[in-house]
Amino acid sequence: MNTVKFIVGVILPYVVVPAFVAGMSYRIWTWLKSPQPAKMTLFPAGGSTFREVLAETLLFPSLFRGDRVLWFLAWFFHATLALVFLGHIRVFTGAIDRMLEAAGMSPKGIDLMSSLAGGAAGILLLAIGLLLLLRRIALPRVREITGIPDVLATLLVVVIIVTGDLLRFSAPFDLEQTRVWAASLLSFSPVIPKNEMFLLHLALSQVLILFIPFSKILHFGGIFFTQTLIKRR
């Protein structure tokens, strides 16, 4: 068991990050090198391509026009995911705490806000994740274009959310211990986290990070290339 903890908490972080960067770099290189059709007018002249790409990235208007139920689920899932990402920055660093304290919040107030917002976000993410998984399985038109990797990726995300919620609501979680672990990685003197639920959550998250550059989850990066291509003038 100690060997597994050592691999997850000490070895894998140094493997996952460079592997993710290499995978992302490779995908971006392939996008840049992919043959593109000759420029043609697909949309009326005028307007700003950058503004339209930004709107598509943040608000998903094309999805809204095509499937409003999916738009609702997808938009709230991504918005909540962004909130959770900020929460994880707080978990691993004290930067957000210092900013909020500088704005006048007390440490107890920050902890309370984090607990309420993080708990609500975890529940909402789990509910939407399960609905998206059910949609992939139950709707024939979606099932036809869904492969096994798509289902596995969605399942992995759902399990990561579940372990994160268990970590917040049931398993004892030491914020300071997590920050010590993150700092020890940066100083190349890593310590093994003691919380087993945290290690499970960490292990699954690292598998997801490794999977991202080679899966459809990378749509968050590809959208900048595809939208610029179809909306260029």
Side-chain angles (χ1 to χ4, degrees):
M1 186 63 182
N2 286 335
T3 302
V4 174
K5 291 180 178 180
F6 181 78
I7 292 173
V8 172
V10 176
I11 301 297
L12 278 182
Y14 293 114
V15 174
V16 169
V17 173
F20 175 77
V21 172
M24 289 294 295
S25 300
Y26 172 75
R27 289 300 298 271
I28 292 173
W29 181 80
T30 57
W31 286 331
L32 291 173
K33 293 296 182 180
S34 297
Q36 296 182 6
K39 291 184 178 181
M40 58 184 68
T41 303
L42 300 178
F43 292 84
S48 168
T49 298
F50 173 78
R51 185 165 58 246
E52 291 177 352
V53 172
L54 186 63
E56 188 68 43
T57 304
L58 297 178
L59 301 175
F60 313 163
S62 297
L63 182 59
F64 180 80
R65 291 190 293 269
D67 188 332
R68 295 192 178 183
V69 173
L70 179 57
W71 174 87
F72 179 85
L73 294 175
W75 192 88
F76 275 98
F77 186 84
H78 286 80
T80 307
L81 203 59
L83 178 63
V84 170
F85 179 76
L86 289 176
H88 279 67
I89 292 178
R90 177 183 180 259
V91 166
F92 293 117
T93 73
I96 292 181
D97 284 26
R98 290 192 292 271
M99 291 172 58
L100 293 175
E101 287 175 5
M105 289 191 68
S106 67
K108 287 186 177 180
I110 295 172
D111 288 339
L112 178 60
M113 181 185 69
S114 174
S115 178
L116 294 175
I123 294 172
L124 184 60
L125 271 183
L126 179 57
I128 297 176
L130 289 172
L131 286 172
L132 289 172
L133 180 60
L134 179 63
R135 182 179 179 275
R136 282 194 179 279
I137 298 172
L139 294 183
R141 62 186 177 85
V142 180
R143 192 166 59 242
E144 288 177 359
I145 59 173
T146 298
I148 293 177
D150 302 323
V151 176
L152 292 178
T154 308
L155 272 174
L156 178 59
V157 170
V158 168
V159 174
I160 290 172
I161 295 170
V162 169
T163 57
D165 285 347
L166 289 174
L167 190 61
R168 174 173 290 278
F169 294 119
S170 63
F173 178 68
D174 189 330
L175 179 62
E176 192 58 37
Q177 183 184 114
T178 305
R179 289 177 178 174
V180 168
W181 169 76
S184 74
L185 291 177
L186 294 176
S187 64
F188 297 99
S189 56
V191 297
I192 302 176
K194 297 178 181 179
N195 190 314
E196 293 185 356
M197 183 60 69
F198 172 78
L199 284 167
L200 177 60
H201 184 66
L202 177 64
L204 294 170
S205 300
Q206 290 179 119
V207 171
L208 178 64
I209 292 171
L210 287 173
F211 186 59
I212 285 175
F214 311 101
S215 70
K216 292 180 182 178
I217 298 175
L218 196 56
H219 63 266
F220 70 83
I223 190 172
F224 294 102
F225 289 87
T226 56
Q227 289 297 316
T228 301
L229 177 63
I230 68 175
K231 294 188 176 182
R232 65 187 179 187
R233 294 175 171 83

